[in-house]
């Protein structure tokens, strides 16, 4: 049998699929075929149900799509339903669908009898052995003639030749797995002798099983993508809520900032008014003093004028000593009123620093609320802890027990440095956690990348070595662990430290969780692997540093 002939059945089926029946509008008022197809399975509806938005789906399809979720949405228009709709079969629409199915069957071209002469009757069966299609009357011999009873009868086919071997004119009842061809019994005695052949029904059964597996995979892919759509929409909705919240927080921040500026402006204006009043008082006093001197000078001028015309020479000589010199007055050469308000630099800087302080406090509080929404539940990983460290049963506390325990030296464990990591690693997004450090004189906190060397005698806390950390020494010396240690200023001794990471932005920040102020930030970092929370309670120092580090629940800022 040639390869072209073996492909004929599939080509015939393909030709039929390329011409689907059309259920066009007619006098019955019925609609087009597309309106009878479920948008999930893309097949004609089975037990159609309607969603509140008015779209129709198969009962099984929509239930599979929604799964066990309480909050559902229409797969077609994406409208969300806050409460899961109660689905019931739309009986009226089902009747229309059934009518469509019947009409589709009726619209298929009739297969006519090959044996009829003149007006051909509708065929009832096709005979693969005879290679002909028969109506009811011409099929009767196959019912009572013993030889014809053995013939293989199937539902009438228009393309019966596709099911007959063109070389031997016998039914194609076998499948050659070696050549991937349909063959008849005679073919197995010639070209396909000793080939692996099986009944078409057997091969079809296996192909159906494979198709069912493929269908299952496709359905799972559909579900995965529907879930992904759901996840994306949920993420977008969360992002939208966060954006709205940040906008509200920003508006609140700027409102508070404007109020602070107005207060500072009022204080500055009040100071300027006080300066102005003082200047006015000074000017008044100076003018009064000048007027007094002018009065005195005028009086002296009058006396001098009179004496210049006197004939009483004796009297002139007697008072001459007191009048020969101008009266004693102030030297007004360097005395003036500055037209510019004299506000000292110190006063202006004081106003600016107060404004900056208020702004920092407002920004930090807003920032604190923002990062707290990324709080995660961190637990210590016992497999990483140095043998001297003792972890609480809940994995939330770690302290130095001073005595080395007998523990397996697995690759994850620190065997030289007194430290441990969290169980949870993060390779994207943002996360925040808080650690209680009260009662301690030394500690290290931060995050570390997964590939850090855990077997060194001494861990060197720098970003180059995979650590982004800060530390406390000698009870009150706080430092950021960069190449050259950076001293850190804190208002009061830290009781609780917050650690925030933005993986994509390369940011690690440390906060005083009590005063809601930022302590230090590593910025512009590049993360390429998982980051793990890092903890070191350090040495006990004869009991002075025996308090544990405690991972605390994050208390949200109101």
């Amino acid at each position: 049998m040639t390869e072209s002939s073996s492909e004929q059945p599939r080509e015939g089926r393909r030709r039929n699929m390329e011409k689907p029946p059309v259920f066009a509008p007619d006098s019955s008022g019925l609609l087009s075929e597309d309106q009878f197809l479920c948008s999930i399975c893309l097949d004609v509806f089975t037990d159609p149900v309607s969603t509140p938005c008015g779209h129709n789906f198969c009962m099984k399809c929509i239930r599979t799509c929604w799964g066990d979720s309480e909050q559902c949405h229409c797969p077609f228009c994406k409208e969300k339903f806050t409460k899961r709709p109660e689905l019931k079969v739309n009986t009226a629409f089902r009747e229309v669908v059934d009518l469509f199915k019947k009409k589709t069957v009726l619209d298929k071209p009739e297969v006519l009898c090959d044996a009829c002469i003149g007006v051909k009757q509708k065929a009832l069966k096709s005979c693969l052995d005879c290679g002909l299609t028969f109506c009811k009357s011409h099929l009767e011999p196959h019912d009572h003639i013993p030889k014809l009873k053995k013939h293989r009868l199937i539902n009438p086919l228009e393309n019966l030749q596709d099911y007959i071997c063109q070389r031997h004119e016998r039914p194609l009842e076998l499948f050659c797995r070696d050549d991937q061809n349909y063959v008849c019994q005679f073919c197995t005695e010639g070209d396909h002798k000793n080939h692996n052949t099986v009944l078409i029904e057997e091969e079809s059964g296996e192909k159906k099983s494979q198709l069912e597996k493929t269908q299952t995979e496709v359905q799972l892919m559909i579900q995965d993508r529907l879930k992904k759509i759901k996840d994306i929409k949920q993420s977008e909705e969360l992002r939208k809520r966060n954006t709205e919240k940040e906008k509200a927080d920003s508006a609140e921040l700027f409102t508070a900032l404007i109020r602070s500026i107005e207060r500072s402006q009022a204080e500055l204006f009040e100071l300027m008014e006080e300066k102005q009043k003082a200047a006015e008082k000074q000017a008044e006093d100076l003018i009064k003093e000048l007027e007094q001197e002018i009065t005195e000078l005028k009086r002296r001028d009058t006396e001098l004028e009179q004496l210049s015309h006197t004939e009483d020479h004796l009297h002139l000589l007697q008072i001459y000593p007191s009048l020969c010199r101008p009266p004693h007055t102030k030297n007004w050469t360097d005395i003036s009123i500055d037209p510019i308000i004299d506000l000292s630099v110190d006063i202006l800087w004081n106003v600016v620093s107060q404004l900056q302080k208020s702004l920092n406090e407002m920004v930090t509080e807003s920032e604190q609320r923002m990062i707290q929404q990324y709080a995660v539940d961190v637990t210590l990983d016992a497999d990483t802890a140095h043998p001297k460290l003792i972890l609480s049963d809940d994995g939330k506390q770690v302290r130095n027990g001073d005595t080395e325990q007998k523990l397996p030296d697995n690759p994850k464990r620190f065997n030289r440095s007194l430290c441990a990591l969290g169980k949870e690693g993060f390779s994207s997004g943002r996360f925040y956690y808080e650690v209680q450090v009260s009662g301690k004189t030394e500690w290290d906190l931060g995050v570390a990348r997964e590939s850090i060397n855990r077997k060194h005698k001494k861990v060197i806390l720098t970003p180059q070595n995979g650590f982004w950390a800060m530390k406390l020494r000698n009870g009150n010396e706080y430092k950021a662990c960069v190449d050259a240690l950076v001293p850190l200023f804190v208002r009061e001794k830290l009781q609780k430290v917050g650690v925030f990471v933005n993986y994509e932005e390369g940011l690690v920040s440390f906060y005083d969780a009590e005063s809601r102020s930022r302590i230090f930030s590593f910025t512009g970092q590049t993360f390429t692997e998982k980051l793990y929370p890092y903890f070191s309670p350090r040495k006990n120092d004869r009991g002075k540093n025996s308090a544990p580090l405690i991972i605390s629940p994050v208390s949200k800022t109101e």
Side-chain angles (χ1 to χ4, degrees), residues 463 467-470 480-482 506-510 520-525:
F467 296 89
W468 292 266
M470 66 171 289
C481 300
V482 293
L507 173 69
V508 180
S509 294
F510 296 88
F520 181 80
S521 292
F522 292 90
T523 59
Q525 306 297 304

Side-chain angles (χ1 to χ4, degrees), residues 368 372 375 432 434 496 513 516 552-558:
Q368 193 77 6
Q372 284 175 344
Y432 174 75
E434 294 179 351
K496 189 183 293 185
R516 301 175 183 173
S552 307
V554 175
S555 299
K556 298 295 178 69
T557 301
E558 296 298 330

Side-chain angles (χ1 to χ4, degrees), residues 219-262:
Q219 290 174 348
L220 289 174
M221 291 171 68
I222 292 172
Q223 295 305 313
D224 288 342
R225 281 148 183 78
L226 289 172
K227 184 178 183 301
K228 180 59 69 175
I229 290 173
K230 180 180 178 182
D231 292 343
I232 291 172
K233 288 187 174 181
Q234 287 179 342
S235 298
E236 183 59 29
E237 184 64 29
L238 178 60
R239 187 181 186 88
K240 183 178 179 181
R241 288 200 300 269
N242 289 339
T243 299
E244 292 301 319
K245 187 176 184 304
E246 288 183 11
K247 285 167 63 177
D249 289 345
S250 298
E252 181 182 344
L253 171 63
F254 280 106
T255 300
L257 178 58
I258 290 169
R259 288 174 182 167
S260 180
I261 292 173
E262 289 173 345

